[in-house]
């Protein structure tokens, strides 16, 4: 098989890679989650601790995957890591679930969130959110197909754009607010309070950082660029999340943040900058989700491409095709967009997110464990990067993953079963495609 990965244009550097990490993580979570986290802990100090713990788990995950990515710097990210370490069947199951569930569901959810916010901002009827979402994902898909330099440029600009309102709220809120930040009671009426539920909410907000690994084959120097981008991006996101929460606690009483829920950030901005500030924040949230969606469109099709390149998807020849001029995976991108649009028609964004998350975290855990296996296999060999505080750092990442899976199985068993069911459906397809590949190889050999 021709090594098409070598024909992908290597024009992605450190700044675009870092902006991909930031852009794919910071979407709506930083604005929507503070009330949920505060409600779960009932205390502002514990809420900040939850955000910090979520950040530490995410940073441990990033530091761990950085070593895996250096040892396996190939396009496809998580899918390729599992294939290289655990064998083709685990790589296939991971890529299959990401192609059919995780990628399209996340992109569909972001598109619907974007459509809903645009409808609210301009006073359009809520029924228009689907059409706006579909138009948005198609437009971004076309721009990304014109070359990674366009998608990367959009990612860099939107990352800068989304950081502006975050910085303004954080700086002005911290210096101009007069409400006590620490030990403020939220007045939560929840029957049971849970630090675990609060950390779970923050981990959902932190998710998305691994997607930059899908583009390792298009980076100028992946062994150096990828770990630096992952670590730098996560640290910036962690600082942003903590700063915005501190600012909001300093501007609004804890009880009001819980009561306002998703509207707390806009209310805080209005308190700081007047009615105009609320509009500015609304634009900032739109830019944030737009940039996050662009990051997903830039990265998720590379999983489909990597699978098709190895012959492990129906229609692999078409799905592994690269545009002769723009050097982008055209068919894989179009497939992901079509699946996302279908999901947008049948499900709401919250349901799409729930179905997606439980599926991917199982594979995250396997990827973190891969560090131990790779170290054992390559004992005594030097590496450009090694995860610090080994083995504590990967152990923290694995514990965080186990918690995510356990909590989702308890709180949303139906969504978990849907994801597991789709994974199991992929097994007979894998065996059939594997047999076809073996048969084709025997024919060529004869």
């Amino acid at each position: 098989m021709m090594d098409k990965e070598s024909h992908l244009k290597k024009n992605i550097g450190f700044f675009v890679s870092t902006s991909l990490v930031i852009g794919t993580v910071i979407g709506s979570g930083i604005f929507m989650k503070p009330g949920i986290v505060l409600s779960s802990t009932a205390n502002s100090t514990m809420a900040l601790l939850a955000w910090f713990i979520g950040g530490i788990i995410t940073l441990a995950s990033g530091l761990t995957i950085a070593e895996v990515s250096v040892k396996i710097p190939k396009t496809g990210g998580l899918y390729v890591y599992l294939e290289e370490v655990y064998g083709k069947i685990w790589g296939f199951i991971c890529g299959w679930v990401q192609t059919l569930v995780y990628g399209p569901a996340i992109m569909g959810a972001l598109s619907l969130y974007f459509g809903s916010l645009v409808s609210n901002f301009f006073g359009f009827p809520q029924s228009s959110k689907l059409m706006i979402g579909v138009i948005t994902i198609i437009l971004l898909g076309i721009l990304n197909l014109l070359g990674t330099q366009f998608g990367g440029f959009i990612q860099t600009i939107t990352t800068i754009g989304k950081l502006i309102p975050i910085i303004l709220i954080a700086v002005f809120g911290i210096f101009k607010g007069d409400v006590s930040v620490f030990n403020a009671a939220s007045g939560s009426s929840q029957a049971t309070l849970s630090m675990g539920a609060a950390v779970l909410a923050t981990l959902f907000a932190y998710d998305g950082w691994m997607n930059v690994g899908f583009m390792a084959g298009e980076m100028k120097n992946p062994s150096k660029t990828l770990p630096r981008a992952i670590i730098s991006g996560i640290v910036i996101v962690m600082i942003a999340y903590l700063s915005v929460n501190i600012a909001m606690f300093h501007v609004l009483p804890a009880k009001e943040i819980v009561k306002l829920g998703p509207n707390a950030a806009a209310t805080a901005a209005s308190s700081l900058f007047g009615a105009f500030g609320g509009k500015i924040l609304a634009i900032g949230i739109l830019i944030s989700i737009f940039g996050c969606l662009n990051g997903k469109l830039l990265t998720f099709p590379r999983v489909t491409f990597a699978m098709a390149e190895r012959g492990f998807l129906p229609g692999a020849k078409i799905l592994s095709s690269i545009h002769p001029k723009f050097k982008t995976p055209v068919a894989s991108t179009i497939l992901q967009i079509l699946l996302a649009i279908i999901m947008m028609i049948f499900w709401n964004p919250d349901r799409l997110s729930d179905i997606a998350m439980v599926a991917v975290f199982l594979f995250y855990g396997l990827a973190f464990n891969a560090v131990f296996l790779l170290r054992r296999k390559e004992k005594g060999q030097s590496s450009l990067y090694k995860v610090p505080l080994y083995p504590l750092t990967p152990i923290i990442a694995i514990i965080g993953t186990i918690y995510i899976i356990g909590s989702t199985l308890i709180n949303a068993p139906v969504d978990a079963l849907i994801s597991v069911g789709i994974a199991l459906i992929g097994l007979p397809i894998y065996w059939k495609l594997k047999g076809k590949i073996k048969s084709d190889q025997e024919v060529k050999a004869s």
Side-chain angles (χ1 to χ4, degrees):
M1 184 183 294
M2 184 179 180
D3 185 10
K4 294 175 183 175
E5 184 169 303
S6 62
H7 296 289
L8 290 169
K9 190 177 288 186
K10 297 180 179 291
N11 58 0
I12 297 178
F14 170 73
F15 289 106
V16 170
S17 300
T18 302
S19 70
L20 272 171
V21 176
I22 298 169
T24 52
V25 172
I26 299 179
S28 58
I30 190 170
F31 304 107
M32 306 297 178
K33 293 295 184 181
I36 296 173
V37 175
L38 187 55
S39 178
S40 297
T41 58
N43 180 280
S44 60
T45 301
M46 297 304 290
L48 289 173
L49 180 60
W51 282 102
F52 180 75
I53 293 172
I56 291 298
I57 292 173
T58 305
L59 184 57
S61 303
L63 290 167
T64 303
I65 287 298
E67 180 171 332
V68 178
S69 70
V70 166
K71 289 181 167 65
I72 312 173
K74 297 181 179 180
T75 293
L78 186 61
Y79 158 67
V80 175
Y81 303 156
L82 297 191
E83 182 185 72
E84 292 283 331
V85 177
Y86 297 100
K88 291 187 181 296
I89 189 166
W90 277 104
F92 172 84
I93 294 171
C94 175
W96 174 261
V97 172
Q98 286 189 89
T99 294
L100 293 183
V101 183
Y102 182 66
I106 293 297
M107 291 190 293
L110 288 168
S111 298
L112 288 173
Y113 282 135
F114 185 81
S116 180
L117 288 174
V118 169
S119 299
N120 289 334
F121 189 83
F122 291 103
F124 298 151
Q126 274 297 303
S127 58
S128 64
K129 67 180 180 182
L130 175 61
M131 182 173 61
I132 295 171
V134 170
I135 291 172
T136 302
I137 194 172
I138 291 175
L139 174 62
L140 279 175
I142 292 172
L143 290 174
N144 276 284
L145 287 176
L146 294 177
T148 53
Q149 69 272 23
F150 290 100
F153 175 75
I154 293 170
Q155 196 60 41
T156 302
I157 294 299
T158 54
T159 297
I160 294 171
K162 73 173 64 178
L163 288 176
I164 289 174
I166 290 172
I167 292 170
L168 287 174
I169 292 172
V171 172
F172 282 87
I174 290 171
F175 287 101
K176 290 183 65 177
D178 56 6
V179 179
S180 177
V181 173
F182 300 102
N183 293 317
S186 69
S188 176
S189 59
Q190 287 188 198
T192 57
L193 302 175
S194 170
M195 171 60 78
V199 173
L200 178 61
T202 69
L203 288 175
F204 280 125
Y206 279 112
D207 185 54
W209 54 270
M210 194 184 285
N211 293 5
V212 70
F214 299 164
M215 307 204 56
E218 292 162 85
M219 291 179 182
K220 296 173 183 177
N221 190 344
S223 294
K224 290 184 178 180
T225 300
L226 194 51
R228 291 175 182 175
I230 290 173
I231 296 166
S232 300
I234 291 174
V235 169
I236 290 171
V237 170
M238 189 175 174
I239 292 171
Y241 278 25
L242 285 169
S243 299
V244 168
N245 276 274
I246 291 172
M248 288 179 60
F249 294 161
H250 204 28
V251 172
L252 298 174
K255 293 180 180 180
E256 191 172 351
I257 292 175
V258 172
K259 183 179 178 181
L260 289 168
N263 298 312
T267 303
S270 298
S271 298
L272 290 169
F273 308 111
F276 182 69
K279 290 289 184 182
I280 293 296
L281 181 68
I283 294 173
I285 295 174
L286 287 171
I287 292 173
S288 179
I289 297 177
F290 188 81
C292 188
L293 176 59
N294 180 73
K296 307 298 187 187
L297 274 164
L298 194 60
T299 54
F300 279 134
R302 271 66 184 178
V303 177
T304 306
F305 170 82
M307 288 189 69
E309 187 184 21
R310 291 159 175 77
F312 282 111
L313 274 181
K317 186 175 181 180
I318 296 173
L319 292 173
S320 63
S321 61
I322 299 173
H323 194 281
K325 180 180 179 181
F326 302 123
K327 305 298 182 183
T328 51
V330 179
S332 293
T333 302
I334 292 173
L335 174 64
Q336 288 286 286
I337 292 172
L338 288 175
L339 289 174
I341 291 173
I342 291 171
M343 290 184 175
M344 290 164 65
I345 294 172
F346 291 101
W347 288 293
N348 64 57
D350 295 325
R351 186 68 185 277
L352 289 177
S353 299
D354 291 342
I355 292 172
M357 296 309 298
V358 66
V360 78
F361 268 90
L362 170 62
F363 303 112
Y364 278 3
L366 290 173
F368 301 147
N369 184 64
V371 169
F372 297 103
L373 301 178
L374 290 170
R375 288 270 186 116
R376 193 181 307 159
K377 182 179 179 182
E378 301 173 5
K379 190 174 182 180
Q381 296 184 18
S382 61
S383 175
L384 291 172
Y385 169 86
K386 287 185 179 292
V387 58
L389 300 178
Y390 178 90
L392 179 61
T393 301
I395 288 173
I396 291 173
I398 291 171
I399 290 172
T401 302
I402 292 172
Y403 178 78
I404 283 282
I405 296 171
S407 297
T408 308
L409 287 171
I410 293 170
N411 298 319
V414 175
D415 294 339
L417 288 174
I418 290 174
S419 296
V420 171
I422 291 175
L424 293 176
I425 289 171
L427 288 175
I429 295 175
Y430 167 78
W431 288 318
K432 183 177 181 180
L433 290 172
K434 184 180 179 181
K436 183 178 182 300
I437 292 170
K438 185 177 180 180
S439 177
D440 290 343
Q441 289 173 343
E442 290 174 351
V443 171
K444 287 182 180 179
S446 62

